[in-house]
Amino acid sequence: MARFCACLAAEPEQAREQLAAMGATVRPDGPAVGLIEDEPGHAAGPFHAYGHTAVGEVTLHNRPALLAALADAGAPAPPDCPDGELLLRCWGRLGAAGIREAEGMFALAVHESDGGLVLIRDPVGARTLFYARAGGCWAASTSLRALRRWPVLGTGLELSAVRSFLTFAYLPGEETLLRGVRELLPGRCLRLSADGTTTEEHYWEPRELIEDDGAPPETYALRLRELLEEATARRLPEAEAVGVLLSGGVDSSLVTALAATLHSHPVHTYSISFGDELPHELGYSGLVAAHCHTRHRVLTVTGAAVAARLAEAAALLDSPVGDPLTVPNLMLAEAVAGDGLRVVLNGEGGDPVFGGPKNLPMLVYEMHRGDVAGGDAKDARELAYLRSYRKCYSDLPDLLTAEVLGALAEAPAPQRFVAPYLRPGAGNGRMDHLLNRLLHCNLRTKGAHHILTKVERLTASQGIEGRAPLFDRRVVDHAFATPPRWKLNGAVEKWVLKEAVRDLLPGTVVDRPKSGMRVPVQQWLGGPLKELAGDLLLGREARARGLFRQDTVRGWLRGEGALLPRQGGKLWLVLTLELWLRAYDIH
């Protein structure tokens, strides 16, 4: 298990010194790339081709297509070369067009023969890559901790990222909580030069390409079914069992059914329970497991277990995620690894790609926008989108201290992360339909910076890979080529997705209303987590950091104010952030 680092400076020896300072292995000569051992990840290398040297965390799902493309270009690759080397060869011989052909999860750093350093991230953001510049040197890594301990960077807390996290429950763009450190966005190649200049290329972005708006809906459903089968088949491991995280919703259920149909080896399914006294979906997940003949396990997650392991889960993430399922997801990954499996599939992606219920508040708002105070303001849609998250955005004036609010007064507002998608300019990639704009925003913010990164970091901590067929790039392209009325068909959400798999699942699963698993956050914070939350959020370290007003936090801990029923979720964000800051020793 390893992450990787790469450095670039005018003098190669300086770059190698900085690489060593971040804890990476260093070779006495050659480009400054190396692995950071004993950090949970899938890094490998260095790889060499065409005079370039690279390190990467690369898992490719369409190797035959890439090998064929290289052969057609007159540059055949060894059939058994590692995935990282194959991707490097695609870049070295075909450039961005070669990367565009790659389907998979990857972050790659390439020291080119001309002296530049190129950073490449996969189209949807399944793997993350960070970079910074200090002391006349560039550094890039899949480990935020490596950049945190880079002596010349001397980084501290980025206050605008604190505001973003409290607004979204994740960091929605390029900023990180480390000042001066940025995250490479998905679908991009970034070229860093020793003189400090940068050049960025977008090699893939979803586009609204509805070619035949009058085509029958069955046409879209049938084509989607083909793409779903191909996407799932490409993500199944060869000659071994596979796991599927099965919640009981239609998304994870269809992935389970496809895996059971397409795989010739056992399929294991995993569900979680918070106790019989709470609403749950175990009846549906059990029904799907029996229907698909999987080897099914249900893990019971107690509040005591969450309290005991919350700090551990927060420390595994390169950016905090205010999701109360973090510890349960970690426990599921442990169960999968304990059964000896190497790959686990999930149903993530259905909502941000095909139109789940989280878009409904925005659609209703647009219907009545003219009757809403401020509805005609320039950034009214962006503000409505931020408020639709129902996190801490509206509470920031009462939650953050006066000093923090003053420091943020001139900082760019968080609307900047959603405006490019909700109000796109003319040109390639423009989305004309509001639903597609919302989906594009969901995909590029929550998909890349919450859903996928959480899955990757937590599964990697157990030495396994979490793979998401619904985030397949061709599936995404098809979704944006489907008329919006077939994604949200009247009151039926994700209609085309359901129709594509209707024959695979019981009708009670396909047609059930989305209910979701109720995570007992309020119950945990009033019980097993009560003492921990109080000690952390009212303790000396939190007070010294000076982010939050103590009277507000104290009131939230006592259950005071007009925050119910979202009070638990808001307090959870503050607690998650505090644990993450402590794990990274940020004051």
Side-chain angles (χ1 to χ4, degrees):
M1 296 173 66
R3 299 286 184 195
F4 73 74
C5 264
C7 290
L8 177 68
E11 297 297 330
E13 185 57 34
Q14 178 193 4
R16 286 191 286 268
E17 289 174 358
Q18 301 308 320
L19 194 71
M22 286 185 282
T25 55
V26 181
R27 299 193 175 198
D29 52 11
V33 297
L35 303 185
I36 305 170
E37 304 291 348
D38 300 324
E39 280 205 31
H42 303 283
F47 309 108
H48 308 279
Y50 309 115
H52 308 323
T53 300
V55 286
E57 296 193 39
V58 181
T59 301
L60 298 174
H61 302 317
N62 65 334
R63 282 181 59 94
L66 299 180
L67 290 168
L70 286 171
D72 290 343
D80 58 348
C81 69
D83 282 359
E85 180 184 336
L86 180 55
L87 190 64
L88 172 61
R89 287 177 176 274
C90 288
W91 169 255
R93 186 65 178 84
L94 303 173
I99 301 299
R100 192 178 301 116
E101 292 299 315
E103 181 64 49
M105 309 181 294
F106 52 84
L108 191 72
V110 182
H111 259 290
E112 296 201 303
S113 55
D114 63 3
L117 177 62
V118 177
L119 309 180
I120 302 170
R121 188 177 178 191
D122 65 72
V124 296
R127 296 219 163 114
T128 47
L129 182 54
F130 307 95
Y131 65 98
R133 183 169 176 81
C137 181
W138 286 108
S141 180
T142 47
S143 166
L144 199 67
R145 274 195 172 80
L147 296 172
R148 169 69 175 139
R149 60 177 172 255
W150 187 21
V152 298
L153 183 59
T155 189
L157 180 61
E158 181 64 78
L159 289 179
S160 65
V162 171
R163 180 174 60 184
S164 297
F165 174 74
L166 295 171
T167 298
F168 292 91
Y170 57 90
L171 297 182
E174 77 285 351
E175 69 179 353
T176 73
L177 282 162
L178 300 185
R179 189 171 59 250
V181 179
R182 290 292 176 262
E183 179 180 332
L184 179 64
L185 295 180
R188 307 196 183 188
C189 303
L190 180 66
R191 186 184 300 273
L192 308 175
S193 299
D195 63 4
T197 59
T198 65
T199 305
E200 188 173 62
E201 181 174 2
H202 299 209
Y203 69 85
W204 181 79
E205 190 67 32
R207 299 177 61 192
E208 186 181 75
L209 296 174
I210 302 173
E211 297 179 355
D212 185 3
D213 195 30
E218 294 79 9
T219 302
Y220 297 101
L222 289 172
R223 177 57 181 154
L224 177 57
R225 172 62 170 270
E226 295 174 358
L227 293 172
L228 289 172
E229 291 183 356
E230 293 170 5
T232 304
R234 285 199 298 264
R235 286 162 176 78
L236 293 170
E238 293 185 13
E240 59 185 275
V242 68
V244 183
L245 303 184
L246 175 60
S247 69
V250 67
D251 302 335
S252 62
S253 296
L254 73 88
V255 171
T256 299
L258 287 170
T261 301
L262 299 171
H263 205 35
S264 57
H265 295 270
V267 175
H268 299 242
T269 48
Y270 302 82
S271 301
I272 54 177
S273 168
F274 298 115
D276 293 337
E277 69 278 8
L278 294 169
H280 56 76
E281 299 184 308
L282 295 179
Y284 290 107
S285 60
L287 174 62
V288 172
H291 180 77
C292 298
H293 306 290
T294 67
R295 302 179 182 181
H296 191 53
R297 288 180 59 183
V298 177
L299 279 71
T300 299
V301 178
T302 65
V306 172
R309 306 199 62 183
L310 187 56
E312 174 192 355
L316 289 171
L317 302 172
D318 282 300
S319 293
V321 172
D323 183 347
L325 285 174
T326 304
V327 171
N329 288 158
L330 175 60
M331 295 173 67
L332 283 170
E334 290 176 335
V336 173
D339 285 341
L341 306 183
R342 186 177 61 88
V343 172
V344 60
L345 306 183
N346 61 67
E348 302 285 12
D351 286 350
V353 175
F354 288 99
K358 292 180 176 61
N359 301 287
L360 294 180
M362 279 298 296
L363 295 173
V364 172
Y365 167 79
E366 289 289 334
M367 291 171 59
H368 302 284
R369 186 169 165 182
D371 302 324
V372 176
D376 57 350
K378 182 179 179 181
D379 61 349
R381 179 179 291 169
E382 289 82 352
L383 287 172
Y385 188 89
L386 298 185
R387 294 188 180 109
S388 74
Y389 273 78
R390 301 178 70 193
K391 304 303 180 184
C392 292
Y393 179 72
S394 299
D395 305 290
L396 293 178
D398 297 319
L399 177 59
L400 298 177
T401 62
E403 293 77 11
V404 172
L405 290 171
L408 289 171
E410 301 300 322
Q415 291 95 306
R416 68 189 178 97
F417 294 111
V418 300
Y421 308 107
L422 300 181
R423 296 181 184 274
N428 290 340
R430 177 185 173 92
M431 305 281 180
D432 291 320
H433 293 83
L434 177 59
L435 179 61
N436 280 343
R437 293 183 183 185
L438 293 170
L439 296 180
H440 192 195
C441 190
N442 297 344
L443 176 72
R444 280 318 203 190
T445 56
K446 187 172 184 178
H449 300 284
H450 171 186
I451 298 173
L452 287 166
T453 187
K454 180 189 71 169
V455 169
E456 198 280 332
R457 290 311 195 220
L458 295 177
T459 54
S461 74
Q462 304 305 311
I464 61 177
E465 284 191 351
R467 301 177 181 178
L470 294 180
F471 274 114
D472 183 274
R473 187 189 55 193
R474 295 197 304 162
V475 171
V476 173
D477 284 337
H478 181 71
F480 283 106
T482 299
R485 65 180 179 277
W486 303 133
K487 285 175 283 193
L488 184 58
N489 187 4
V492 181
E493 299 148 357
K494 299 184 287 191
W495 181 87
V496 69
L497 183 64
K498 295 175 180 178
E499 291 304 304
V501 298
R502 180 169 293 279
D503 63 306
L504 287 175
L505 294 166
T508 51
V509 173
V510 175
D511 296 320
R512 56 167 293 207
K514 185 177 179 69
S515 57
M517 180 181 300
R518 181 174 298 177
V519 185
V521 173
Q522 199 81 36
Q523 180 178 316
W524 292 342
L525 288 169
L529 279 169
K530 184 176 182 179
E531 184 176 350
L532 173 66
D535 290 346
L536 289 175
L537 299 179
L538 300 176
R540 180 184 304 173
E541 189 170 338
R543 294 199 309 271
R545 195 177 291 112
L547 291 177
F548 305 117
R549 287 177 47 174
Q550 291 291 290
D551 59 335
T552 298
V553 172
R554 191 173 288 108
W556 286 14
L557 287 167
R558 289 199 296 257
E560 298 173 357
L563 293 169
L564 294 175
R566 306 293 296 185
Q567 179 184 347
K570 294 179 179 184
L571 189 57
W572 187 271
L573 287 187
V574 179
L575 176 59
T576 300
L577 178 59
E578 176 65 25
L579 286 168
W580 190 92
L581 293 173
R582 290 181 182 230
Y584 279 76
D585 193 27
I586 300 175
H587 303 287

